[in-house]
Amino acid sequence: MSYFLNLKKQDPRVYKSVLGEIKRQQEGLEMIASENYVSAAVLEALGTVFTNKYSEGYPGKRYYGGQEFTDVIEELAIKRAKKLFGAEHINVQPLSGAPANMIAYSAVLKPGDKILGMDLSHGGHLTHGHPVTLSAKIYNFIRYKTTPDGKINYKELEKIAIKEKPKMILAGFSAYTRQLDYKKFSAIAKKVRAISMIDIAHIAGLIAGKAIPNPVPYFDIVTTTTHKTLRGPRGGMIMCKKGFAKAIDKAAFPGFQGGPHMNNIAALSVALGEALEPSFKKYAKQIIKNAKILEQELRKYGFKIMFGGTDNHMVLLNVFSSKGVTGKEAEVVLDKIGITINKNMIPDDPRHPMDPSGIRIGVPAATTRGMKEKEIKLIAQYINDAISNHKNNKTLKQVNKEVKKLCKKFPIYKNLK
Ligand SMILES: Cc1ncc(COP(=O)(O)O)c(C=O)c1O
């Protein structure tokens, strides 16, 4: 019997696409650093009747009636997130990572205020003030960069902070692979009386699983998505010190959003519960091991690894300088063999963002499937075979077969059809 009985009957076109996507996810290797596979329990919670409910406000203080169960799940999500991250206050309502950042900025800053954040091509995120974003139209972003050997020069960062006197110092990234020195960020912010904020969207699961240090004690505000390494539904969270709690909650609702998506919050509660289990610690540690093996293997195959290596769940490669293919070409050829990654800028990339010099590869999803060092070594070999033979369709077809064979051994959702 189909799991999607009603959908199949009501809307065959949508049903067909859902089946197609399940097949794509099953038969391919998902190596986009920001993606993962949620558990079947999280998927079930997402599809519950909580999707019908309006819950503007917060537990115990809502603008609509009928909240006896929404309050339970929102309080549960907050309690579990506090246990995982040790934050003084948590708001679980941001609809995703970009809104979480806008809410955080607007809670503590005025239009025109200066924010010192990481340059996009050095690993920062669009929502950290890229000129095309709304945040850049409202606030005045200035940037710090990484050094040629991939470090952050904290002395230089301090110099910029003293000269520019930003209202906020923003740490965090979407394509940087080294461990940040939280203490130094926090000390610099204190010295120039700036608010310290970190966006841990990419590494939240590694922090929750205690595979890397927790920045929460050091920063005034911590934003995150819930769907990357944390392996929850798509969504966002904001953690902060008690002193910022009221401002953050007000900025989320009614400041920026309307009703929270309660089915997402139900699914988030489930995912946070999973992250509290001992097996999640193992998962987070395995991600780091897998990324390190991927780095070592790709280095052996002659790929240029950016930032000198990785301390987290991803690697950034300069494929243009080391293999003579552009990031876009590499993305297309890896798609052909069933490995999904994304093209990515490298620091101060001279090429266009739509066809940059680099690619970013992450291991959280493969690790969720149960893949370990042995499989990661094979994956590195497939990546090298494909990129080195990018014009040879026969080889690409053969490698695609190998990828499918590997994926078959690691099923994702057994009963979804
Ligand atoms: C560091 C960081 N912050 C924020 C976001 C935005 O998250 P969302 O796509 O959920 O809005 C991302 C997404 O990739 C990210 O990497």
Side-chain angles (χ1 to χ4, degrees):
M1 196 169 72
S2 171
Y3 179 87
F4 304 102
L5 207 58
N6 297 295
L7 178 62
K8 189 176 173 184
K9 220 160 104 189
Q10 171 63 29
D11 201 325
R13 282 163 74 188
V14 171
Y15 170 69
K16 218 172 136 196
S17 292
V18 172
L19 287 198
E21 180 61 14
I22 292 171
K23 188 166 184 286
R24 189 194 70 80
Q25 291 192 13
Q26 172 56 49
E27 291 185 355
L29 268 170
E30 190 50 73
M31 301 203 77
I32 291 178
S34 48
E35 293 189 16
N36 214 328
Y37 308 106
V38 298
S39 71
V42 169
L43 269 189
E44 281 176 13
L46 266 173
T48 57
V49 290
F50 280 118
T51 198
N52 299 331
K53 189 72 197 116
Y54 248 112
S55 306
E56 286 176 355
Y58 293 97
K61 292 170 281 178
R62 307 275 192 190
Y63 286 80
Y64 295 79
Q67 306 292 346
E68 53 268 51
F69 300 109
T70 51
D71 278 5
V72 170
I73 55 157
E74 187 164 347
E75 274 165 357
L76 196 57
I78 293 168
K79 193 172 141 208
R80 288 175 176 172
K82 276 189 176 170
K83 206 165 170 193
L84 276 174
F85 294 98
E88 290 176 15
H89 178 76
I90 301 195
N91 187 309
V92 296
Q93 294 194 3
L95 301 178
S96 217
N101 284 343
M102 280 304 277
I103 291 164
Y105 301 149
S106 69
V108 294
L109 300 174
K110 291 192 197 70
D113 278 354
K114 216 179 254 181
I115 304 176
L116 174 55
M118 196 177 204
D119 189 274
L120 181 73
S121 80
H122 288 245
H125 188 254
L126 279 169
T127 58
H128 301 179
H130 188 278
V132 300
T133 62
L134 178 62
S135 58
K137 293 185 176 77
I138 300 176
Y139 307 104
N140 175 13
F141 283 86
I142 49 168
R143 328 213 165 265
Y144 56 89
K145 295 184 171 192
T146 57
T147 60
D149 61 352
K151 306 261 161 53
I152 288 175
N153 182 339
Y154 291 94
K155 287 228 165 80
E156 188 55 35
L157 182 66
E158 184 174 327
K159 263 194 213 158
I160 303 174
I162 289 169
K163 181 166 168 259
E164 298 283 349
K165 299 185 184 58
K167 286 270 162 52
M168 175 183 278
I169 295 186
L170 175 60
F173 50 77
S174 58
Y176 182 63
T177 55
R178 305 322 300 247
Q179 178 59 42
L180 300 179
D181 190 330
Y182 306 140
K183 259 190 202 164
K184 284 190 179 150
F185 266 106
S186 161
I188 294 168
K190 281 206 176 91
K191 190 163 183 174
V192 299
R193 292 170 189 245
I195 290 166
S196 58
M197 170 168 150
I198 183 167
D199 176 350
I200 59 166
H202 263 265
I203 52 175
L206 304 178
I207 294 162
K210 311 223 176 322
I212 63 170
N214 183 2
V216 168
Y218 301 101
F219 286 81
D220 296 317
I221 300 172
V222 179
T223 57
T224 186
T225 55
T226 50
H227 47 274
K228 298 184 170 83
T229 48
L230 192 55
R231 212 165 60 184
R234 311 197 80 77
M237 293 197 294
I238 305 175
M239 309 178 227
C240 64
K241 300 275 186 264
K242 266 198 187 121
F244 294 99
K246 262 196 186 153
I248 291 287
D249 285 354
K250 250 176 95 178
F253 175 81
F256 192 75
Q257 296 185 165
H261 294 184
M262 295 314 295
N263 57 322
N264 259 72
I265 292 178
L268 175 62
S269 299
V270 178
L272 293 169
E274 290 170 356
L276 280 164
E277 286 171 10
S279 58
F280 197 83
K281 281 204 185 92
K282 269 196 187 158
Y283 167 63
K285 289 206 171 73
Q286 190 63 46
I287 290 179
I288 304 262
K289 280 190 207 163
N290 283 354
K292 205 79 203 154
I293 291 283
L294 186 67
E295 172 205 322
Q296 287 163 5
E297 293 295 303
L298 290 173
R299 198 191 299 282
K300 276 193 224 159
Y301 288 121
F303 285 92
K304 181 167 169 47
I305 314 283
M306 301 308 298
F307 307 124
T310 182
D311 302 317
N312 56 32
H313 58 297
M314 58 186 161
V315 291
L316 184 69
L317 311 178
N318 183 342
V319 284
F320 192 61
S321 74
S322 54
K323 295 286 171 178
V325 297
T326 68
K328 186 176 162 189
E329 285 167 342
E331 183 185 293
V332 169
V333 77
L334 290 176
D335 244 343
K336 283 188 185 164
I337 63 158
I339 295 184
T340 316
I341 54 99
N342 66 283
K343 54 186 167 296
N344 213 99
M345 304 271 275
I346 57 160
D348 298 321
D349 203 325
R351 300 186 56 84
H352 190 270
M354 288 311 286
D355 193 10
S357 304
I359 57 172
R360 188 183 66 163
I361 313 180
V363 297
T367 310
T368 292
R369 292 178 89 141
M371 294 184 185
K372 296 195 169 145
E373 287 87 336
K374 187 175 142 209
E375 289 77 31
I376 299 295
K377 282 185 183 175
L378 283 176
I379 292 170
Q381 186 193 315
Y382 301 151
I383 291 171
N384 182 53
D385 284 349
I387 291 181
S388 309
N389 297 284
H390 65 282
K391 290 192 176 134
N392 185 339
N393 275 330
K394 206 172 143 204
T395 306
L396 297 180
K397 270 194 185 143
Q398 185 52 40
V399 183
N400 180 229
K401 269 194 196 154
E402 298 292 326
V403 169
K404 278 189 179 156
K405 217 162 81 187
L406 177 65
C407 289
K408 212 170 174 188
K409 288 192 203 152
F410 295 88
I412 43 172
Y413 301 108
K414 288 179 194 133
N415 301 316
L416 286 192
K417 36 181 146 52

